[in-house]
Amino acid sequence: MFTRLALCSRLPPRSWQSNGGGVPIRAFSQAKFSLPRPHGKSFAHRGELKQAKRIVVKLGSAVVTRGDECGLALGRLASIVEQVAMLQNQGREMMIVTSGAVAFGRQRLRHEILLSQSVRQALHSGQNQLKEMSVPVLEARACAAAGQSGLMALYEAMFTQYSICTAQILVTNLDFHDEQKRRNLNSTLQELMRMNIIPIINTNDAVVPPPVPSSDLQGVISIKDNDSLAARLAVEMKVDLLVALSDVQGLYDSPPGTDDAKLIDMFYPGDQQSITYGTKSRVGIGGMEAKVKAALWALQGGTSVVIANGTDPKVTGHVITDIVEGKKVGTFFSEVKPAGPTVEQQTEMARHAGRALSSLLPEQRGEIICCLAELLTEKKDEILSANKRDMELATASGRFSQALIDRLSLSTAKLNSLAIGLRQLSVSSRDSVGRVLRRTRVANNLELEQITVPIGVLLVIFESRPDCLPQVSALAIASGNALLLKGGKEAANTNKILHQLTQEALSIHGVSDAVQLVSTREEVEDLCRLDKMVDLIIPRGSSQLVREIQKAAKGIPVLGHSEGVCHVYIDQEASTDKAIDIVRDSKCDYPAACNAMETLLIHKDLLRTPLFDQIVDMLRAENVKIHAGPRFASYLTFSPSEVKSLRTEYGDLECCVEVVDSMEEAVDHIHKYGSSHTDVIVTENEETAEQFLQQVDSACVFWNSSSRFADGYRFGLGAEVGISTARIHARGPVGLEGLLTTKWILRGEGHTVADFSEQGNMKYLHENIPVPQGSFM
């Protein structure tokens, strides 16, 4: 074994928590890690990887080398070094097992040979033209010998930018099989990590003999490549996590690139018989089979393993940190077999059953929804009992606001209201999928139809509100869509029983799998990556949740709104009684709702009038905390607390009061500070009201009515999946119609486009054919 300390200033031991004097790591990496954990058992779930203290990062040949195999991928390597440095500076103990010496040496030796040949030719050829030069095949061990020093110098230079010292360690099989050498290796590595030095480890390819097939000893993996070296090192050093980076996304159920190959998110040792391995990577001597064998050996020794892609430019800059944060990257090896299907399997099950659901007769889908409505009332005691447990746990935890707990609560009245809405929906569901929107006679005996069809697979992510589950499920059933549901942990018991009742209703026509509840530890960001499986994401929850989903969902459309900053404008010609009732209902009926009033706009002429005084007295009587807008505060000697932002969604018994000069100024204020959700005018002047209704660019605009009417049930939609403030597809309360798309059906008799060319014998007619109301395909 050869050990060489990097040529940089010695850093203090880890316990000093010194940051050195070099270039600082990025600001977000400064959080220190301090989660010691006894070694001996691997992590069961990805979320536990955040606890990993000692980590080995294995860099495969395909990760370190360029595509031409002659030299290193410097940009890729720099991003990996940055991530390792970030984790080291958090207080973790990092080790790197690296390839690349052969490629680095091959580049160096080729350059020297070409230079030598050109000099010799110049000496022997005089002024004659130089002959074409060729490079002989270079022996790998010679390349390794020539490349080791350069590779290490590169690592030293990169880590020095983060004030981190490195050390090179070259090993062979003998260093593990010889007891004394093994203890020396262990002692050296322990001492280096104690001094906050990152060991850079590689097989000593300059002297190592070629690997011998089937040379593993009983219970011990032989070091044939860097995969087996990383696994052996991980077990020897009691490592918590081994991250093996290669040029594939992870482990597939069949060779990558084949039509049906699917990435395996979580691999259990008992599943290895179902795997078919492909060819090895373009460089290196391992392959996926070698990686899996090494990973399983390390897993048996108590080390968790993730195999992931280290070459994809889209993820290379954060692949290691994402893995340590527990994100769904690559294949995670676990000794704990998953209790149920993975979310990918659930999505496939939902899609398959959803196609069967969409092919049912409209009356059959209506029967399913009616059955669910009946179950909500029949099983109300069981539902309310489960909801009571969730409420008690949420209150006891102290982690949830009162507004969130209010959304969590169910009651007999809420369940009855849900059942009524579902029965309404069951009737309208008979006029949804397969409805003919347009018929056109393109030419003689060539007719075109546009019909309504389901979108496909919907992913609904919701917080707290368990009443969302039957609503959204019923809408998905009515529209023939498959549905994947992800609820918050705070409503786990309630969601579980509501989902069971939904599947019971679906089972009457054999499509119980069409609605799936994700109960695994899936992060929202991971669900948003299912772009090849999910067709539309609908978030239901806080503005923060919606923003996170909109940011994470790359490639999947998101239907929803990030905030519900709703306004009520009291015009100078408003009725006192109407104004008081509308403001009270808009703010106090359900303050946590997204359609509750958050800003009250008052015409300046109403200040110091009985109407204004009565509105303020009413708000105080309802325990509403008033925040003064800048203009309103300027009129007052002793004002309430001044508002911090005019774009605030309080979600509680609080609101902002601001003054405007006119209806036009109220509209400008709404456009500047509103969220395009719901806005209201209270006035007896019809002309002013109509101008307001036309000018305000929001999903819902009301005259002399509470903002709380912005709801699918109250609109007669039966239920809603949410309120959209987008300007395409669906806007406002999204019910059944918003969950449908269209497809075109053309019926002909051997028609070809050539028939309609200048030389053809047919002419386009494009005649509209009347479609009787209620026509279906």
Side-chain angles (χ1 to χ4, degrees), residues 460-472:
V460 177
I461 303 171
F462 58 102
E463 289 178 326
S464 287
R465 296 181 54 179
D467 55 329
C468 170
L469 195 151
Q471 280 187 341
V472 173

Side-chain angles (χ1 to χ4, degrees), residues 94 133 184 205 240 318 472 508 600 636 735 741:
M94 305 297 296
M133 293 175 286
N184 291 343
D205 294 327
D240 298 317
H318 48 81
V472 173
I508 67 175
L600 175 63
L636 305 173
T741 184

